[in-house]
């Protein structure tokens, strides 16, 4: 008898799109995070953000119960693929949220296309996922690597009046893309990147690089991911360096800012989010996170939270009926959330959110370091002001995008 | 030499289980896990040639897996080569790399050998990471479509499983032959008594080098299948952790045996991919299992299980036991 | 000119850090022939323990002792109950020490959440030391001093003390040492504890520069191996000089050949080992 | 005069600055039985190892069969027709006696590089190995593992492994050491049965056996040759007395 009900609901009723009947059957959502290895901190923050969102919806979206299945990819591409298979093939997940790292997302790119599984990325920022190699089943709930740093380049030149800047960045795709985006707008507004230092992701100590920084620059743009920002900034101070530091969003992300000391104060960065954004939606969100986890939300927490909100928004558009994947995908691409921790969010046709970008400055407030918002660039596209066509025709953001002068 | 039923039975059972596997499980997911075990087993078997039979502990075996995988994907998906040509070049070039690496690593022995292999592996990792224009850097290289050899659709998990199982069978066969061959026996002699072997007229270096290259060849085969399976490769494939994992598979399963690396591969792949869904701290469990193996079966799971079985059968069959042990030692 | 001085100092500081990391490894390998692949994990765990001690209000110097002491006990227990049985079985040693490394690494993620954490520097050593327009962190000068003091202490311990005489006898000829009435069993435990303590204390000491994060263990272990192998296995002097050489290669290499940054440590090592398989100062085949 | 089988000129070998072998010159013509005598530490085994090619000399030249092999490796010298036994027995203890002899035979055959042909199926090799074991009186133990045999049997196996290679130059390092009286006789008989076309250089402490066996005797001390000559000459030479009684 129950089997008959399910049969009925999945075939006959689904075709008729009679949503009330579907409420009986939970929607299976696969969530790929990282619980072991070097990326575990980001993974945990993602889990926290996602849980918060799920709790907010009491485990139900558009009248359907959400059955969340979590998998640990260990931050390894090969395992990520297995985990995607586990979620989709064994556990029957209909939508995926995850994974954490860009190389993980790329490792399952083909698999997602083959199985036509809608996937929402809560953190992977690799540009091409929504640019030159857009995957029709993929949307992203965060900015691209360069999305926040186009405005920062302009801000550095126009508002801060910096002329000469040295860039130091993690020597991997994320760092390359951030640096290129920053350099592009900075130089178009009259600035000059005079030096580019690329430190390997696993650099043990930054003394070698800090001491190479050109003493004549106006500021240093430091683009780091993970815990490297902590190391760099404290060393920077200990080497007695005085030049102001501009950071990438992740250099002073809230996830690591809580571990930093005074060395971070004054760092100006850009991001599509700051825990200090002063809107009711964000205040509510931050308060909830602080209550549950006693920490400010950062990149990963808010990314996963928003991925979950995207899911909710799309499910509401299709009234919880996900049986028509194309229709669901269309709804996902059509996500429009006027009020969120990010601010207003909608997606471009590549599945990439158009976001308010804030320029933030690290200050000590209420006894803790915060990314205080000093300027907002509203509704910034991943293509900045260039437009998709022109942008996609220009060279790919890479390590060798444009040499320093 | 006769093979006693006692000794052949576990192997037959394992082989039967491998053949029947797709019919025993409920989801394609498990078939895919089995394919991964088979690929890891080929890599572990090839490493075991060095460790178990040559006494050379390598911490750089991911090099062959990774380079063959990179070449396969690059050549077929990005440089416009056909699948067959791509596969032949990938395996050929990786084997040539093994020739070079063997030449360098065999300058030293023992810990020095281990460190040179480790360093060479890390250099390749660095190159893969840094030479982004060719390798895609940390974003990796994808886009490979699985081939259709002889009209077989390798996109079907079960067909793919039998495809890799076929290669495992060939690998086991070739390696079993190798172990009993003149070269294989010479290699085992150089492992036990290098100086003596020299005095008997053996060019120890050459024998080790040839075996090193042979091992690299099978590592390359594993890399080819790895590329077909994952259709994606990134620097992590080349990283020290992959080499260490493979080394652990071999040691945990039992060095110098044919079955050991297969069992070790199954252990690690299952813990990492399947058990991790149920036990958050699966890595601790894996570590505990390794420690337990060392405490209770220091020679590895397969020889340890053999010993336990023998003990169960008691002393009434000593003659069979003696024979079994001599076969086991000969490289069963 | 400034470039050479400042990068030289950087190299010296990093080399000092490496020596603090590798000395324990070298000591253990020299006497016991155990390739302790848990060494990186000991280093990381020591740093975490020290960090927690500091966060609990303990002063930095005591925290170094606590970090070293904790790992000392851990190492002693593991030596007594596990490694002891594995003399002369390198493969079992690899398996068990890597297994222990996995356990420690994952336990650290469990307990300390995986967030990257800086170890706070003692306030008296923060900031930079300046001569004309050169600036160099005081803490690094301190680390250089510690490494030289440690090298001198270890040298004194090995060459001039009774314990050292026993260790040297054990390194040279174990059965003979045993015949001479040296309690090698106890000696092994003592040396393993000492080596472990050095790793743990080193982790705390390096914490303000390296910070602590999951993966610190696997970042550091190859470095320890490189230093020890390059210097010549089991030779303390070799480890010391090897550390400094690696430190200089690291700082000058990264500055002069930025494109080789990812391979800068391993390329010279392959060169050295293929030309001189026993390492720079090793006498016997390894 | 025919080319000597072994010709050593001005051979030196230092270990960490200390000379173990000093200026040794020696010619061993075909078919000769040469005995090396000397107290422990006289450098005899080092000298053997130099001839065998375990390590290169610091100075000097080694020729075997008229060919300069100073820079040739141990295995190359073996390929030329030299074989040796060891003072400290180095066999493959977990394998059968037969297997050990087969390994010895394979050393001179191309099959050692063959990764495919099953060694167990090379009937000719196994027959030949069995025949060699028969030569030393061990055929009844052919299928025992080395670890199950007695010391004397292992000594004979050592010699069998050397003889299996049909060497023209045989280096025997204390073949009688540690044997019982009966075993000594067996081995002695075995040595005497070796045909004269094999040249033998032997280190041995057992004077009775050795003197009976040797044609020419070389006495070494402190790495140098002290006396060299026929049995009678050497026994009569006061320097021999000094070497043995002076210590």
């Amino acid at each position: 008898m129950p089997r008959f009900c399910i049969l009925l609901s999945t075939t006959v009723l689904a075709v008729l799109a009679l949503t009330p009947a579907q409420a009986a059957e939970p929607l299976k959502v696969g969530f790929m995070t990282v619980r072991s290895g070097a990326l575990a901190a980001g993974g945990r923050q993602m889990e926290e953000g996602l849980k918060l969102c799920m709790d907010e919806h009491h485990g139900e979206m558009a009248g359907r119960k959400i059955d969340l299945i979590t998998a640990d990819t260990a931050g390894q591409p090969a395992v990520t693929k297995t985990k995607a298979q586990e979620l989709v093939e064994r556990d029957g997940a209909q939508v995926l949220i995850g994974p954490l790292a860009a190389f993980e997302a790329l490792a399952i790119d083909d698999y997602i296309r083959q199985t036509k599984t809608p996937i929402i990325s809560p953190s992977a920022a690799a540009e091409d996922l929504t640019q030159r190699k857009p995957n029709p089943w993929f949307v992203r709930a965060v900015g691209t690597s360069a999305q926040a740093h186009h405005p920062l380049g302009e801000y550095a030149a126009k508002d801060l009046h910096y002329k000469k800047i040295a860039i130091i960045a993690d020597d991997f795709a994320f760092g390359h893309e951030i640096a290129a985006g920053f350099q592009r707008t900075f130089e178009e507004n009259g600035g000059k990147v005079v030096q580019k230092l690329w430190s390997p992701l696993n650099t043990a100590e930054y003394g070698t690089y800090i001491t190479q920084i050109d003493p004549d620059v106006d500021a240093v743009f430091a683009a780091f991911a993970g815990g490297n920002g902590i190391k760099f900034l404290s060393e920077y101070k200990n080497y007695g360096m005085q030049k102001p530091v501009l950071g990438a969003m992740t250099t002073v992300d809230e996830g690591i800012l809580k571990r930093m000391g005074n060395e971070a104060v004054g760092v100006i960065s850009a991001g599509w989010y700051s825990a200090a954004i002063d809107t009711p939606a964000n205040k509510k969100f931050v308060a909830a996170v602080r209550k549950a986890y006693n920490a400010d939300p950062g990149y990963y927490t808010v990314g996963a939270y928003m991925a979950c909100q995207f899911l909710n928004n799309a499910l509401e558009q299709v009234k919880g009926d996900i049986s028509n994947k194309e229709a669901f995908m269309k709804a996902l691409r059509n996500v429009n959330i006027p009020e969120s921790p990010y601010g207003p969010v909608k997606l471009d046709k590549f599945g990439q959110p158009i976001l308010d970008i804030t320029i933030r400055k690290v200050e000590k407030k209420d006894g803790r370091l915060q990314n205080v918002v000093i300027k907002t660039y509203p509704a910034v596209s991943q293509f900045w002001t260039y437009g998709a066509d022109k942008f996609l025709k220009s060279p790919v953001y890479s390590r060798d995008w444009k040499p320093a002068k | 030499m006769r093979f006693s039923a006692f000794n052949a039975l576990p192997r037959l059972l394992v082989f039967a289980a491998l053949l029947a596997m797709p019919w025993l499980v409920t989801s394609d997911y498990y078939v895919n896990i089995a394919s991964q075990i088979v690929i890891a087993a080929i890599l572990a078997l090839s490493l075991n040639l060095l460790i178990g039979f040559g006494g050379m502990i390598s911490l750089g075996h991911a090099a062959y897996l990774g380079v063959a995988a990179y070449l396969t994907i690059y050549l077929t998906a990005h440089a416009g080569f056909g699948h067959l040509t791509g596969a032949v070049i990938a395996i050929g070039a990786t084997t040539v790399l093994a020739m070079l690496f063997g030449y360098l690593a065999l300058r030293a022995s023992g810990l020095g050998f281990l460190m040179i292999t480790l360093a060479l592996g890390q250099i390749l990792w660095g190159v893969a990471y840094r030479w982004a224009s060719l390798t895609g850097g940390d974003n990796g290289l994808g886009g490979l479509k699985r081939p259709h050899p002889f009209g077989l659709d390798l996109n079907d998990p079960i067909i793919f499983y039998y495809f890799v199982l076929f290669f495992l069978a060939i690998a086991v066969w070739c390696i079993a032959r190798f172990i009993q061959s003149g070269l294989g026996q010479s290699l085992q002699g150089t492992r036990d008594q290098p100086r003596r072997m020299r005095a008997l007229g053996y060019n120890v270096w050459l024998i080790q080098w040839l075996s090193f290259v042979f091992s690299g060849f099978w590592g390359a085969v594993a890399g080819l299948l790895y590329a077909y399976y994952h259709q994606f490769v990134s620097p992590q494939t080349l990283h020290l952790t992959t080499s260490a994992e493979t080394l652990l598979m071999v040691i945990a399963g039992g060095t110098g045996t044919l079955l050991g690396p297969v069992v070790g591969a199954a252990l690690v792949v299952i813990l990492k991919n399947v058990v991790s869904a149920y036990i958050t701290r699966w890595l601790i469990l894996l570590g505990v299992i390794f420690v337990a193996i060392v405490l209770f079966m220091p020679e590895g799971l397969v020889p340890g299980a053999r010993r336990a079985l023998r003990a169960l059968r008691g002393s009434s069959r000593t003659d069979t036991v003696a024979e079994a042990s001599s076969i086991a030692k000969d490289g069963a | 000119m400034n470039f050479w001085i400042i990068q030289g100092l950087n190299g010296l500081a990093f080399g000092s850090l490496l020596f603090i990391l590798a000395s324990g490894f070298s000591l253990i390998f020299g006497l016991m022939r155990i390739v302790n692949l848990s060494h990186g994990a000991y280093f990381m765990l020591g740093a975490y323990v020290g960090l927690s001690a500091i966060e609990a209000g303990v002063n930095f110097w005591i925290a170094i002792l606590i970090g070293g002491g904790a790992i000392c006990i851990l190492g002693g227990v593991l030596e007594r109950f596990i490694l002891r049985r594995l003399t002369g079985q390198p493969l079992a040693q690899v398996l068990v020490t890597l297994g222990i490394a996995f356990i420690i690494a994952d336990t650290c993620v469990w307990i300390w959440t995986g967030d990257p954490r800086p170890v706070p520097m003692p306030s008296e050593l923060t900031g930079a030391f300046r001569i004309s327009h050169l600036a160099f962190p005081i803490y690094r000068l301190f680390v250089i001093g510690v490494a030289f003091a440690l090298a001198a202490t270890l040298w004194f311990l090995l060459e001039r003390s009774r314990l050292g005489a026993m260790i040297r006898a054990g390194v040279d000829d174990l059965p003979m040492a045993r015949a001479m009435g040296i309690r090698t069993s106890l000696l092994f435990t003592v040396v393993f504890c000492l080596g472990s303590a050095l790793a743990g204390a080193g982790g705390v000491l390096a914490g303000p520069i390296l910070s602590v994060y999951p993966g610190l263990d696997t970042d550091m272990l190859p470095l320890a191996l490189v230093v020890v192998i390059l210097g010549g296995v089991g030779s303390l002097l070799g480890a010391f000089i090897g550390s400094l050489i690696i430190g200089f290669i690291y700082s000058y290499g990264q500055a002069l050949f930025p494109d080789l940054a990812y391979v800068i440590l391993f390329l010279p090592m392959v060169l050295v080992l293929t030309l001189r398989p026993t390492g720079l100062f090793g006498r016997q085949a390894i | 005069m025919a080319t000597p089988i072994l010709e050593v000129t001005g051979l030196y070998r230092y270990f960490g600055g200390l000379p173990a072998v000093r200026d040794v010159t020696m010619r061993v013509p075909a078919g000769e039985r040469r005995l090396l005598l000397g107290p422990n530490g006289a450098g005899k085994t080092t000298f053997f190892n130099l001839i065998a090619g375990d390590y290169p000399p610091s100075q000097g030249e080694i020729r075997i069969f008229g060919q300069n092999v100073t820079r040739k490796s141990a295995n190359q010298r073996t390929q030329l027709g030299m074989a040796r036994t060891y003072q400290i027995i180095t066999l493959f203890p977990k394998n059968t006696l037969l297997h050990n002899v087969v390994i010895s035979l394979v050393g001179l055959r191309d099959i050692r590089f063959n990764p495919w042909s099953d060694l167990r199926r090379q009937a000719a090799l196994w027959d030949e190995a069995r025949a060699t074991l028969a030569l030393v009186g061990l055929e009844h133990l052919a299928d025992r593992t080395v670890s199950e045999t007695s010391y004397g049997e292992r000594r004979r196996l050592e010699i069998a492994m050397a003889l299996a290679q049909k060497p023209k130059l045989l280096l025997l390092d204390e073949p009688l050491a540690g044997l019982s009286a009966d075993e000594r006789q067996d081995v002695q008989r075995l040595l005497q049965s070796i045909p004269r076309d094999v040249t033998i250089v032997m280190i041995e402490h057992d004077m009775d056996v050795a003197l009976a066996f040797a044609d020419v005797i070389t006495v070494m001390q402190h790495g140098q040759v002290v006396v060299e000559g026929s049995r009678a000459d050497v026994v009569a030479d006061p320097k021999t007395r000094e070497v043995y009684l002076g210590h």
Side-chain angles (χ1 to χ4, degrees), chain C residues 76-240:
Chain C
V77 169
L78 291 174
E79 199 280 331
R80 275 271 139 178
F81 292 102
I82 300 178
L83 292 167
R84 162 131 317 186
R85 310 156 172 229
L86 306 176
T87 319
Q89 301 177 50
L91 290 172
Q93 288 170 5
V94 166
L95 189 61
V96 84
T97 53
L98 274 181
I100 291 168
F102 284 2
I103 296 173
I104 294 176
D106 213 30
T107 306
C108 286
V109 171
W110 198 0
I111 299 179
W112 285 279
T113 73
D115 276 341
R117 324 258 289 249
V119 175
M121 219 173 254
S123 52
E124 58 269 31
L125 296 179
T126 51
F129 181 80
R130 288 171 188 281
I131 303 178
S132 71
H133 51 283
L134 278 180
F136 198 73
I138 294 169
Y139 190 78
R140 287 183 188 229
L141 292 174
F142 166 72
V143 167
I144 296 171
V146 169
F148 278 83
L150 178 66
T153 311
L154 286 176
W155 179 85
F156 185 81
L157 188 75
L158 284 178
E159 301 292 327
R160 291 282 178 273
S161 76
R162 212 176 113 67
L163 176 67
M166 291 196 283
I167 293 176
R168 275 181 292 128
V171 171
D172 285 348
D173 190 341
L174 200 57
M176 185 59 91
R178 215 170 271 141
M180 277 156 52
I182 295 174
R183 289 171 61 196
T184 51
S185 150
L186 185 66
L187 186 66
F188 276 20
T189 309
V190 168
V191 167
F192 202 87
C193 282
L194 182 62
S196 308
L198 284 173
V204 187
L205 198 66
I209 296 179
L210 301 177
S211 78
V212 208
Y213 52 93
L216 178 67
D217 51 341
T218 42
D219 281 354
M220 288 298 125
L221 179 64
L223 295 182
L225 281 165
V226 169
V227 163
V228 171
I229 304 290
L230 197 70
V233 181
S235 147
L236 197 69
L237 177 73
F240 185 64

Side-chain angles (χ1 to χ4, degrees), chain D residues 25-179:
Chain D
T25 297
M26 185 184 286
R27 292 161 64 91
V28 183
E32 188 178 287
R33 266 78 178 122
R34 171 69 66 107
L35 176 67
L36 281 182
L37 280 180
N40 280 330
K44 304 182 303 281
T45 297
T46 305
F47 179 62
F48 251 44
N49 290 342
L50 288 171
I51 299 173
D54 277 359
Y55 30 73
S58 310
Q59 199 183 317
E61 190 185 85
I62 302 167
R63 292 177 164 270
I64 58 178
F65 316 123
Q67 202 175 334
N68 186 347
V69 296
T70 316
R71 298 288 150 210
K72 282 203 163 43
S73 61
N75 49 292
Q76 285 170 321
R77 298 182 199 192
T78 302
Q79 299 293 342
L80 289 175
M82 185 189 74
R84 76 171 293 188
T85 66
Y86 283 87
Q87 183 184 16
I88 299 155
I89 301 175
T90 52
L91 300 163
F92 306 106
K94 282 182 272 174
N95 291 349
T96 63
L97 303 196
L98 200 58
H99 195 115
N100 271 278
V101 181
V102 166
I103 292 288
S104 166
L105 288 169
V106 170
L108 295 183
R109 285 167 171 75
D110 288 341
I111 195 176
R112 69 185 186 280
F113 295 124
N114 185 324
W116 193 250
S117 308
D118 194 330
L119 210 54
R120 292 173 302 191
R121 300 227 169 88
Q122 309 297 314
L125 276 179
W126 293 83
D127 290 346
E128 195 178 337
R130 217 171 269 280
T132 314
L133 278 179
L135 212 60
V136 299
L138 286 175
E139 75 268 45
H140 60 293
L141 299 175
D143 294 319
R144 286 249 181 109
T145 60
V146 174
S147 50
E148 294 169 315
T149 56
S150 73
Y151 191 78
E153 285 156 357
R154 289 182 206 183
R155 277 265 166 238
R156 277 190 276 166
L157 175 60
E158 271 284 329
I159 298 170
M161 286 174 72
L163 287 179
Q165 300 200 321
K166 305 217 163 45
K168 286 178 282 171
L169 171 61
L170 182 58
L171 309 176
L172 299 171
D173 197 350
E174 300 200 33
L176 299 173
L179 296 186

Side-chain angles (χ1 to χ4, degrees), chain A residues 81-257:
Chain A
K81 173 142 179 192
T82 309
K83 290 296 169 182
Q85 288 167 339
E86 174 186 311
L87 294 169
V88 173
E89 286 163 37
R90 192 187 68 175
D91 303 335
Q94 291 146 293
V95 185
L96 295 178
I97 294 178
L100 190 152
F103 53 79
E104 294 183 292
L106 288 157
I108 57 169
D109 190 52
D110 283 334
Y111 181 74
I112 295 301
R113 291 170 200 258
Q114 278 162 25
T115 56
K116 303 186 165 53
T117 311
I119 181 166
I120 309 167
S121 166
S123 98
E127 300 259 314
D128 269 355
L129 284 167
T130 54
Q131 290 176 8
R132 290 169 185 88
K133 297 170 195 159
N135 182 330
W137 302 95
F138 178 93
V139 299
R140 179 148 45 194
V142 289
T144 63
S145 313
Q147 194 162 355
H149 304 101
H150 287 133
L152 185 65
E154 184 183 293
Y155 182 82
K158 276 190 173 165
D159 295 39
L160 296 171
H161 307 294
Y162 292 149
K163 296 279 171 243
K164 285 176 13 178
I165 275 184
I167 295 180
I168 174 161
D170 281 331
D171 193 1
F172 77 133
F174 184 61
H176 302 157
E177 290 174 2
I178 292 176
F182 175 88
Q183 184 183 3
R184 185 171 185 178
T185 52
F186 181 63
E187 295 192 337
E188 280 172 4
N189 286 287
K192 227 191 223 176
V193 170
V194 293
Q195 187 181 27
K196 282 202 223 177
L197 295 168
W198 302 110
S199 49
L201 205 53
N202 58 352
T203 296
E205 57 93 33
Y206 285 93
T208 320
Y209 290 98
I210 291 168
T211 46
Q212 286 181 64
I213 292 171
D214 186 339
D216 298 327
V217 295
D218 300 322
V220 176
F221 176 53
F224 292 110
N228 287 347
I230 294 184
K231 274 201 243 183
F232 175 82
L233 287 175
S234 72
E235 307 250 311
Y236 190 78
K237 184 183 162 218
N238 280 314
Y239 270 86
M241 301 291 285
Q242 312 284 348
K243 294 286 153 74
V245 175
L246 300 175
M249 181 176 179
T250 45
T251 307
V252 286
D253 179 59
E254 282 82 356
I256 55 170
L257 195 61

